[in-house]
Every structure is written in C-alpha cells, then in structure tokens.
Amino acid sequence: MKTYSKFQFGWLLPVIFIPFLVFSYLAYRYQWGNNPMNLWSYIVLQIILVGCVLLFLGMRVTVDETKIKVSFGIGLISKTVKLAEIKSVEIVRNPWYFGWGIKIIPNGMLYNISGRDAVELKFKNSKKIFRIGTANPHDLKNAIETRLIPEK
C-alpha cells in the first residue's frame, strides 16, 4: 500500500517573521536608534527568527503501514503514533480558541498548522486523545482507517 504523505504550509509564521527579519537587517545596516544594534545582537536575533521560521514553516503528516508521523518544519519537532495503539479515528472541528501549533487540549494533544479541521485519534490503552489538524480530514481519516487492523 502506498504511503500517505501531505505537507501543509503554515502561512501565518512567514507573514509575521519575514518583516521582522527585514526590519532587523535595516536596523543593523543603518544603525537606527539611540542605542544601535551591534553585530552579535544582530546575528543572534537573525538566528532566532530564522530558526522559528524553519521549525514551524509547515506540518507534514505521514501514514505508513505501522505508524503515523506528524512533524513540524524541518522535522526537529515530531510525534509518532503506532497504528496498533489506535482504537478509533474521527473527523472533528476544533474550536477557534484551540489555535495553531502544539497545544495541550482537554484529554490530549493537538498538532495543527492552520485551519480548524482535524482528525482525532483515540487509543486502546488510554483515555488520552491526539488531534492532527489537516486541510483534508477525509483523506487522512481514510489513509489511517485502511491501515488499521480490525480487532477480533
């Protein structure tokens, strides 16, 4: 069976951070203000801003024969769930206040990069849930359910 893999771009982070990158460059280059930025402050600030963009630029969801892997940005932040641990899969709509990013929600965790649609996983040996935000919840649910082994 073919591996399911989808990348969802998180548009909000670049919209926020790219102007800060440009502004910090201009502030350093033209030494704006009463206490202008020195070289080391500029370098540290740029590393932090670029690091944030790389870590949270988007989210990739991969479903293979044994596991689901959700990773942010370049893949340093990720979570893996074994398919054998899943009891049920359901399409849900997150409340607006759950927001985006990695969140602790009632009864579990949410990984979301944009939008409110998600797939909720319930586990066999735990009351915890795991929600994966996605633009295509029906495709993700189908990819997971076709790989689940039915209980006897």
Side-chain angles (χ1 to χ4, degrees):
M1 191 176 293
K2 191 175 174 185
T3 299
Y4 171 93
S5 182
K6 295 285 183 196
F7 181 82
Q8 189 173 354
F9 181 73
W11 59 268
L12 183 62
L13 194 71
V15 166
I16 291 172
F17 278 92
I18 289 175
F20 281 113
L21 284 165
V22 172
F23 178 78
S24 64
Y25 167 75
L26 293 173
Y28 171 71
R29 173 74 173 93
Y30 296 108
Q31 294 294 295
W32 291 343
N34 295 335
N35 189 9
M37 192 181 306
N38 65 35
L39 177 62
W40 290 110
S41 299
Y42 170 71
I43 291 171
V44 168
L45 181 62
Q46 294 296 75
I47 289 170
I48 290 170
L49 292 173
V50 169
C52 288
V53 170
L54 290 176
L55 287 175
F56 294 101
L57 185 62
M59 185 176 80
R60 178 169 301 282
V61 179
T62 307
V63 182
D64 65 20
E65 299 305 315
T66 60
K67 67 186 178 304
I68 303 166
K69 183 175 181 181
V70 183
S71 58
F72 276 92
I74 57 175
L76 292 178
I77 300 170
S78 66
K79 176 154 177 84
T80 303
V81 176
K82 294 179 183 174
L83 290 174
E85 298 172 350
I86 298 173
K87 177 173 65 174
S88 67
V89 182
E90 183 181 345
I91 294 173
V92 294
R93 188 154 176 88
N94 294 317
W96 65 269
Y97 53 86
F98 277 15
W100 300 333
I102 301 169
K103 304 288 173 123
I104 296 173
I105 60 172
N107 241 9
M109 293 289 294
L110 167 68
Y111 277 48
N112 190 17
I113 199 71
S114 68
R116 293 178 53 199
D117 294 327
V119 171
E120 182 175 279
L121 308 176
K122 292 184 180 173
F123 300 99
K124 295 175 183 173
N125 299 324
S126 173
K127 292 191 187 266
K128 297 285 183 188
I129 61 169
F130 181 56
R131 285 189 180 183
I132 305 168
T134 178
N136 303 308
H138 295 286
D139 292 347
L140 179 56
K141 180 182 180 200
N142 186 44
I144 296 168
E145 286 182 333
T146 57
R147 290 167 174 82
L148 288 179
I149 299 169
E151 290 189 28
K152 295 177 183 178

